[in-house]
Amino acid sequence: MNHLSIGSWNVNGLGDKYRGIIEIKDLTSSKNRLWIKLDKNFFDLEKDLFVCATYILSLNSPHYDDDFLKLEAEIKQVSDKGNVLVIGDLNARIANHDDFIADENKIHSSLQDILQRDYVQDFNIDRNSLDKVFNSQGQQLIDLCITSQLRVLNGRFIGDMLGNMTCFKPSGCSTVDYALTSVDLINSVSFFQILEPSYLSDHAQIVVFLKGCISMQNMNIDRKYSEIDMTFKWETISKEKLYTVLEESSTRDEILGYENTPFEINCSGVERAEQQLNNIFKTLTMRSCKIIKFFRKKKLKKKKPWEDRELDDVKKTVSNLAKLLRINPYNLNLRHPKDNKKERLDTEIAKEILGETDLLSKATRLHLQNYK
């Protein structure tokens, strides 16, 4: 089981990496919201997952445009097709307020008749928060959660059981970055994490880890890299050669063709641009620099001081014989070969020992004679 991590900083661009992710461009008109769809078959989820990366302006901003109401309308369009995950900076402070209708099972019986037959009652999930402030924008977020049946992950899961702060400014700290999920998606959440603050932003990154299984075969990666079997050396005349090559019409046409090519704004477009640019640099380099071909040298095994060629041959012979014995363990010819090299080696070693003994005996006799 792998984990699918979705963070508040890295939602944009996912569609270029995987075939199972589709950007939904016609769902919102806001520049501060990005909707993508995660295919349930690709990520081994129960339902399709619609992820919304959003930034909602403060109510005091002149550019605020009923973002919570519009986000609610967008959620309503996709909630019937799958689960929803909203993640981002919502500029809302909700303290410990409930994001569901408390004690819904105690509603008067006269009101039960007006509810839909497939209506699912809310259930209580405790939530903690270190931010004790509740503002008007927080009330809009609570209303959005109740209306759309979303649950706040902050302060509810392993990784952020206390409901840590997410925004750090000189005026103080607050919790304004949230992850909201559909009720049906809660069982698929492994844990939720608020990362340490960094110098890149005064907001901490929040990450949701979902249970899923991503197959590497489904990844839209088909890159072929060609090895260069040569290296180049810059010489004193290389500068003049490079100027000459750049002045040629064929080189200028190739460079202009690269600049005028409308590359797609995705992974395949970047790869095409990289390949064309690489060809231009390779042509310029080969025609202006000295080409030095190189071949990979085979690494020689370092022999120990006491090893020689004869010992190496014996080791190879024994190793080959062992391989044959593993294949044919009941072959008597292999177990008792007629031309037994081990016996010949033992005989040669014995002769050397005897020869050394004879020399020692001769040296002893000469020593005794000289002593007399």
Side-chain angles (χ1 to χ4, degrees), residues 7-9 32-33 52-58 64 67-68 71 86-93 135 137 141 154 166-169 174-180 201-206:
S8 57
W9 288 1
N32 294 327
R33 287 192 293 278
C52 176
T54 182
Y55 168 67
I56 294 182
L57 297 167
S58 174
Y64 182 81
D67 290 305
F68 279 102
L71 177 59
V86 179
I87 188 168
D89 179 4
L90 308 183
N91 270 311
R93 304 178 72 175
N135 59 12
Q137 200 150 337
L141 175 57
N154 302 54
T166 64
C167 181
F168 306 88
K169 293 185 177 182
S174 60
T175 301
V176 293
D177 302 88
Y178 299 93
L180 319 173
S201 173
D202 54 3
H203 288 255
Q205 184 184 10
I206 59 177

Side-chain angles (χ1 to χ4, degrees), residues 13-195:
L14 283 174
D16 297 338
K17 297 180 182 179
Y18 304 104
R19 287 195 293 265
I21 299 179
I22 303 172
E23 182 180 353
I24 308 175
K25 297 181 179 180
D26 56 347
L27 184 58
T28 181
S29 58
S30 174
K31 296 181 179 180
N32 294 327
R33 287 192 293 278
L34 171 71
W35 281 93
I36 58 174
K37 173 187 173 183
L38 276 62
D39 185 77
K40 61 180 181 181
N41 297 321
F42 184 90
F43 291 101
D44 193 22
L45 300 171
E46 293 183 2
K47 299 179 181 179
D48 290 333
L49 178 59
F50 295 88
V51 181
C52 176
T54 182
Y55 168 67
I56 294 182
L57 297 167
S58 174
L59 291 174
N60 300 327
S61 173
H63 301 288
Y64 182 81
D65 188 21
D66 293 330
D67 290 305
F68 279 102
L69 293 177
K70 292 184 177 180
L71 177 59
E72 180 184 339
E74 295 167 6
I75 293 172
K76 188 175 181 180
Q77 294 183 47
V78 298
S79 58
D80 294 336
K81 303 175 184 178
N83 290 320
V84 177
L85 171 63
V86 179
I87 188 168
D89 179 4
L90 308 183
N91 270 311
R93 304 178 72 175
I94 59 176
N96 290 322
H97 283 243
D98 293 335
D99 53 359
F100 56 90
I101 300 176
D103 299 328
E104 193 175 12
N105 56 347
K106 297 181 181 179
I107 295 178
H108 195 272
S109 58
S110 60
L111 298 177
Q112 296 286 348
D113 298 334
I114 64 176
L115 297 177
Q116 299 178 359
R117 293 182 179 179
D118 57 348
Y119 179 78
V120 179
Q121 292 184 353
D122 289 336
F123 55 91
N124 186 5
I125 308 176
D126 292 333
R127 185 178 61 82
N128 299 313
S129 178
L130 296 178
D131 188 356
K132 304 304 180 181
V133 177
F134 183 73
N135 59 12
S136 57
Q137 200 150 337
Q139 183 61 57
Q140 293 192 32
L141 175 57
I142 294 296
D143 294 340
L144 172 68
C145 291
I146 294 174
T147 305
S148 304
Q149 288 194 322
L150 300 177
R151 295 294 175 267
V152 178
L153 297 184
N154 302 54
R156 274 195 173 124
F157 280 87
I158 297 175
D160 184 43
M161 296 298 294
L162 299 178
N164 291 309
M165 304 290 186
T166 64
C167 181
F168 306 88
K169 293 185 177 182
S171 57
C173 304
S174 60
T175 301
V176 293
D177 302 88
Y178 299 93
L180 319 173
T181 64
S182 301
V183 175
D184 294 340
L185 189 64
I186 290 179
N187 292 331
S188 299
V189 178
S190 298
F191 49 96
F192 170 81
Q193 188 176 12
I194 297 177
L195 302 184

Side-chain angles (χ1 to χ4, degrees), residues 135-357:
N135 59 12
S136 57
Q137 200 150 337
Q139 183 61 57
Q140 293 192 32
L141 175 57
I142 294 296
D143 294 340
L144 172 68
C145 291
I146 294 174
T147 305
S148 304
Q149 288 194 322
L150 300 177
R151 295 294 175 267
V152 178
L153 297 184
N154 302 54
R156 274 195 173 124
F157 280 87
I158 297 175
D160 184 43
M161 296 298 294
L162 299 178
N164 291 309
M165 304 290 186
T166 64
C167 181
F168 306 88
K169 293 185 177 182
S171 57
C173 304
S174 60
T175 301
V176 293
D177 302 88
Y178 299 93
L180 319 173
T181 64
S182 301
V183 175
D184 294 340
L185 189 64
I186 290 179
N187 292 331
S188 299
V189 178
S190 298
F191 49 96
F192 170 81
Q193 188 176 12
I194 297 177
L195 302 184
E196 293 291 331
S198 72
Y199 65 91
L200 297 174
S201 173
D202 54 3
H203 288 255
Q205 184 184 10
I206 59 177
V207 185
V208 182
F209 293 85
L210 301 176
K211 299 174 184 177
C213 184
I214 306 174
S215 174
M216 295 299 292
Q217 297 178 352
N218 292 334
M219 295 178 65
N220 189 17
I221 299 177
D222 185 16
R223 303 172 184 171
K224 297 180 181 179
Y225 300 98
S226 57
E227 293 187 2
I228 301 177
D229 57 349
M230 62 186 70
T231 184
F232 305 98
K233 182 179 180 181
W234 183 266
E235 297 181 312
T236 54
I237 60 173
S238 296
K239 184 176 181 180
E240 297 179 2
K241 287 184 177 180
L242 181 60
Y243 281 137
T244 303
V245 177
L246 289 172
E247 290 176 355
E248 294 180 1
S249 58
S250 58
T251 305
R252 283 184 288 181
D253 292 341
E254 190 175 3
I255 296 174
L256 289 173
Y258 170 78
E259 292 178 347
N260 296 328
T261 301
F263 297 106
E264 299 88 353
I265 307 177
N266 52 32
C267 189
S268 59
V270 172
E271 289 183 359
R272 278 208 313 131
E274 180 269 335
Q275 186 63 39
Q276 287 192 23
L277 187 61
N278 182 61
N279 292 335
I280 294 174
F281 282 126
K282 187 176 180 180
T283 302
L284 295 174
T285 307
M286 292 184 67
R287 296 186 59 185
S288 60
C289 298
K290 182 180 178 180
I291 300 174
I292 302 175
K293 294 188 177 181
F294 65 91
F295 303 93
R296 292 182 179 177
K297 295 182 180 179
K298 188 176 180 180
K299 292 184 179 180
L300 297 176
K301 185 179 179 181
K302 291 183 179 180
K303 293 186 177 181
K304 297 178 181 179
W306 58 83
E307 291 184 354
D308 56 7
R309 179 168 293 181
E310 185 177 2
L311 180 60
D312 192 42
D313 293 339
V314 173
K315 288 172 64 177
K316 288 181 180 178
T317 303
V318 174
S319 179
N320 293 333
L321 183 61
K323 291 179 182 178
L324 293 174
L325 281 172
R326 280 195 291 268
I327 298 172
N328 302 302
Y330 302 106
N331 191 332
L332 298 179
N333 293 327
L334 294 175
R335 288 182 174 273
H336 306 285
K338 296 179 181 179
D339 185 15
N340 196 325
K341 293 186 178 180
K342 183 178 181 302
E343 292 180 1
R344 286 191 294 142
L345 181 62
D346 292 342
T347 303
E348 292 175 1
I349 293 173
K351 287 180 180 179
E352 290 181 4
I353 294 172
L354 291 174
E356 292 176 358
T357 305

